[in-house]
Amino acid sequence: MTASNESAKNSANATARKSTAKRTTATAKRAESKATAAASQAETAAHDAEKAASTTLGSASETTKRTGRAVASGLQAGQQAVTANAAKAATAATAAWAVVKNRKMIAAGAAAGVVGVAGAAFAVGRSTAKPPVGPLTRLVGGRI
């Protein structure tokens, strides 16, 4: 080969290297712009996600506060109901103990009441069963 052929090869190789470098640079620039666009979109998405998380966190915090207040009022109402029921149970137990303790006197009082009612009914029935009579007959008990 001759020197001019060699020079032509070198020139062709240098031109090929330059065009390859230009293509590589252009491809790198396009990739860089695409990556920059993707990064900005990712940053925007991350910012939106942060806002949504912040809003959700605030909402969850408010819901937790409301739930806590509801639970506290429910516990207070339950405590008041238990206290009221305990007082009612204590009153009922006291009355029941008084009945058991004084059962003999209660039975005697009930028996006396039944005897009194029966005696009164007998007396009223007896007085209404007699025919009306005069004063002299009443005086001698109905023998005249």
Side-chain angles (χ1 to χ4, degrees), residues 38-54:
S40 73
Q41 286 178 353
E43 183 180 358
T44 304
H47 186 61
D48 291 346
E50 181 183 0
K51 280 184 181 178
S54 176

Side-chain angles (χ1 to χ4, degrees), residues 2 4 9 13 19 34 51-52 58 62 67 74 85 98 102 104-105 107 110-111 114 117-119 125 130 134 138 143:
T2 64
S4 71
K9 276 187 183 179
N13 283 340
S19 71
K34 286 180 183 179
K51 280 184 181 178
E62 187 62 34
T67 303
N85 287 339
N102 300 316
K104 291 179 183 176
M105 287 191 292
V114 169
V117 168
K130 290 184 187 178
R138 268 189 302 215
R143 291 197 172 94

Side-chain angles (χ1 to χ4, degrees), residues 116-129:
V117 168
F122 179 76
V124 168
R126 184 128 168 95
S127 68
T128 58

Side-chain angles (χ1 to χ4, degrees), residues 5-99:
N5 265 347
E6 193 67 34
S7 173
K9 276 187 183 179
N10 286 341
S11 172
N13 283 340
T15 306
R17 275 188 246 132
K18 285 181 184 176
S19 71
T20 304
K22 284 182 183 178
R23 276 186 264 138
T24 304
T25 304
T27 305
K29 285 183 180 180
R30 277 183 290 192
E32 181 182 3
S33 72
K34 286 180 183 179
T36 304
S40 73
Q41 286 178 353
E43 183 180 358
T44 304
H47 186 61
D48 291 346
E50 181 183 0
K51 280 184 181 178
S54 176
T55 304
T56 302
L57 183 62
S59 172
S61 173
E62 187 62 34
T63 302
T64 302
K65 286 179 186 176
R66 274 191 252 122
T67 303
R69 284 191 290 259
V71 167
S73 71
L75 286 174
Q76 186 177 12
Q79 183 182 14
Q80 289 172 351
V82 166
T83 303
N85 287 339
K88 288 178 188 176
T91 304
T94 303
W97 179 249
V99 168

